[in-house]
Amino acid sequence: MKEWRGIQREEIPWYPTIDAEKCISCRTCVDFCKNDVLAMDETTGKATVKTPFNCVVECRTCARLCPAGAITFPDEEAFTAYLKEKLERS
Amino acid sequence: MGKKGFILCVCQGTCPSFTKMDIFAVLSDVRREKIFDYVCLHPQLCVGDGEEFLKVLLSGGETDKLYIAACDPQMQSKMFRDAFEAVSFDKANHIPLDIRNKTTEEAVAAIKELAANNP
Ligand code: SF4
Ligand code: SF4
Ligand code: SF4
């Protein structure tokens, strides 16, 4: 298991969520992210989250680049509060 | 004459694409070359406060050319477009470079080459 600032990465719920209904299969997200987080699902032809905990904590670039608005991340305020608490306790 | 600025953007430094390089060594080596009038580091230019940073940096009109070493050049253009437009910075003067997955030496060499090819 990898660590993020002393915390097990798997304990940090940060990764993209893809709405398959909105995804237009353009591959922008898969082509951009070099961290092997995302992949195209061969059967549905849509982008999927393959390795969620490879996602860089607080990165949102794929969501920003998605032309269909299909990618979302945890709420910024709530997540910031969660991280602060985790960091204080670690 | 307008200034040449350089920003290194590193996906918070925790992205695997940036772990092969020593971020501060890249900046120091680039400064030693005296290619740019100023250099700086930003953890994540493509989010809200990063955009704000670009606007503040460019609003005085002192920067003629802005070299940004970060991720894919086409993506950079998309992500920074609004900030540039907001302060009327001509996007043609944004010189992007992809330095993901490079070592310190490779990154410095690529930055030098970029500057030489885009004076
Ligand atoms: S948020 Fe960043 S690291 Fe995570 S999947 Fe998207 S581009 Fe990759
Ligand atoms: S960028 Fe958006 S629309 Fe394109 S493949 Fe990824 S999730 Fe689907
Ligand atoms: S601009 Fe590019 S290099 Fe910088 S944080 Fe965003 S995705 Fe990473």
Side-chain angles (χ1 to χ4, degrees):
Chain A
M1 271 215 296
K2 288 179 304 233
E3 287 194 349
W4 181 86
R5 295 183 61 178
I7 303 162
Q8 295 301 322
R9 178 62 184 88
E10 270 79 351
E11 287 177 27
I12 307 171
W14 182 270
Y15 44 80
T17 300
I18 299 175
D19 182 338
E21 300 235 314
K22 287 190 185 163
C23 176
I24 54 166
S25 310
C26 71
R27 298 193 65 100
T28 302
C29 58
V30 175
D31 290 343
F32 179 82
C33 184
K34 303 287 184 215
N35 301 330
D36 205 31
V37 180
L38 307 161
M40 296 308 286
D41 185 312
E42 304 254 306
T43 41
T44 63
K46 308 276 185 173
T48 55
V49 182
K50 184 174 102 184
T51 325
F53 296 111
N54 271 9
C55 181
V56 176
V57 178
E58 294 185 292
C59 178
R60 296 181 185 82
T61 313
C62 52
R64 176 136 193 193
L65 295 171
C66 175
I71 307 179
T72 50
F73 282 91
D75 173 72
E76 186 167 350
E77 258 182 51
F79 187 77
T80 302
Y82 173 85
L83 262 194
K84 270 192 176 170
E85 201 206 307
K86 272 265 177 197
L87 284 169
E88 274 160 23
R89 276 199 279 136
S90 68
Chain B
M1 209 183 85
K3 293 190 167 72
K4 289 184 185 184
F6 174 79
I7 308 176
L8 180 63
C9 181
V10 294
C11 282
Q12 305 211 30
T14 52
C15 181
S17 321
F18 289 93
T19 45
K20 278 206 269 172
M21 74 176 70
D22 176 339
I23 290 162
F24 285 100
V26 170
L27 282 171
S28 300
D29 286 4
V30 167
R31 283 179 68 209
R32 222 169 281 122
E33 299 289 333
K34 300 202 187 324
I35 319 169
F36 307 109
D37 296 302
Y38 62 83
V39 308
C40 59
L41 173 67
H42 199 284
Q44 199 174 16
L45 271 180
C46 59
V47 293
D49 67 322
E51 243 179 68
E52 217 45 52
F53 173 82
L54 287 174
K55 286 192 216 162
V56 171
L57 181 74
L58 300 171
S59 62
E62 279 195 52
T63 300
D64 205 19
K65 287 210 162 114
L66 187 63
Y67 300 75
I68 304 183
C71 51
D72 181 76
Q74 271 187 331
M75 299 303 170
Q76 284 193 39
S77 302
K78 275 193 198 172
M79 293 187 289
F80 307 147
R81 188 174 46 207
D82 293 353
F84 292 157
E85 274 176 12
V87 292
S88 305
F89 180 79
D90 186 348
K91 63 180 186 321
N93 293 328
H94 160 222
I95 324 284
L97 176 69
D98 192 344
I99 45 151
R100 290 176 299 177
N101 296 314
K102 290 197 186 336
T103 62
T104 303
E105 291 70 29
E106 286 165 356
V108 173
I111 293 162
K112 281 167 69 177
E113 196 188 322
L114 177 83
N117 293 339
N118 301 275

